[in-house]
Amino acid sequence: MSNRKTRLGVLISGSGSNLQSIIDKCESGYLPAEVAVVISNKADAYGLTRAANHGIPGVVLVRKDYPDEFFYNMAILNALKEHDVELVVMAGYMRLLGPEVLDAYPNQVLNLHPALLPSFPGAHGIKDALDYGVKVTGVTVHFANEIFDEGPIILQEAVSIAEDDTENTLAQKIHTVEHVLYPRAVKFYCEDALAIEGKKVRIKE
Ligand code: GRF
């Protein structure tokens, strides 16, 4: 078993509780990985503070500072390359990544979604599931492609919705599952345990 650590580039837009769970699991040794850089599209994202608390470089790249999507995505790509990132982990990054990044990292970009895809894609997966009245929702980890919330699914876990759940209580249940499921998927990736076969992802024994 090698001691090599996969270099992660984590993309965030906000609180970064999933970033925190990944940092913690790198530090505990559960993940054979290290967070090489955190990139945020919001200057005030709390996840940047979490990164700084662990001595991890944080980079702020705001879309409006660039003339178009191409230049913006090239800036993201440059930051990833500058930190020798091998796996891109989107953790609450609320934008679509452009082909400039996706083509440079084929099958090396992961995304987390707070619903059981293909149900309730988009930016409001928790609220949409609650409003629809489904009894079960959940969490999905998938490879990202150029279509929002569409790439091959790695792991999913169901979360039951109780009659008295609010958006807040359901979000807490979802986050608790995310903080376990996302690191597990990253671990499979780092251990080269994922085989993509068309739309399906097989987890190798
Ligand atoms: C998570 O619920 C994730 O599924 C969604 O955005 C949220 C990010 O939360 N894409 P955090 O910033 O990791 O706390």
Side-chain angles (χ1 to χ4, degrees):
M1 189 98 175
S2 95
N3 286 325
R4 217 188 70 77
K5 291 182 175 179
T6 303
R7 293 179 65 80
L8 311 178
V10 182
L11 267 55
I12 62 164
S13 299
S15 150
S17 69
N18 284 283
L19 163 68
Q20 187 71 57
S21 81
I22 288 169
I23 293 172
D24 292 346
K25 288 181 170 66
C26 287
E27 291 183 353
S28 75
Y30 171 82
L31 277 177
E34 62 190 312
V35 180
V37 65
V38 171
I39 300 174
S40 174
N41 68 321
K42 305 267 186 206
D44 60 352
Y46 181 63
L48 290 166
T49 304
R50 296 183 192 268
N53 287 343
H54 291 263
I56 297 165
V59 177
V60 177
L61 298 172
V62 180
R63 169 63 180 87
K64 69 170 172 49
D65 294 340
Y66 296 84
D68 58 24
E69 285 290 321
F70 172 80
F71 283 102
Y72 182 62
N73 278 283
M74 286 307 291
I76 294 175
L77 181 59
N78 288 338
L80 294 169
K81 291 292 180 192
E82 217 168 275
H83 291 87
D84 296 319
V85 167
E86 302 168 274
L87 177 67
V88 181
V89 179
M90 294 200 280
Y93 179 67
M94 303 307 280
R95 291 184 55 83
L96 189 60
L97 265 188
E100 297 76 17
V101 179
L102 292 171
D103 292 350
Y105 284 95
N107 300 329
Q108 292 165 279
V109 181
L110 304 185
N111 187 40
L112 174 68
H113 185 72
L116 292 176
L117 292 172
S119 289
F120 310 114
H124 309 288
I126 297 174
K127 182 174 189 307
D128 291 347
L130 197 63
D131 289 350
Y132 194 96
V134 292
K135 308 288 186 190
V136 176
T137 182
V139 174
T140 302
V141 182
H142 66 96
F143 283 103
N145 63 18
E146 62 290 345
I147 305 171
F148 216 59
D149 296 334
E150 201 265 354
I153 292 171
I154 301 168
L155 290 174
Q156 288 186 303
E157 189 167 319
V159 172
S160 294
I161 300 180
E163 277 183 13
D164 59 354
D165 262 332
T166 62
E167 199 179 332
N168 205 12
T169 60
L170 181 57
Q172 281 174 27
K173 290 182 192 173
I174 296 258
H175 284 141
T176 301
V177 172
E178 287 182 338
H179 297 162
V180 177
L181 208 68
Y182 211 9
R184 190 180 299 154
V186 172
K187 186 174 165 72
F188 283 140
Y189 179 93
C190 295
E191 293 172 343
D192 196 22
L194 302 176
I196 304 179
E197 296 162 359
K199 272 287 281 174
K200 295 187 182 168
V201 178
R202 187 165 54 82
I203 299 172
K204 300 184 241 173
E205 293 298 327

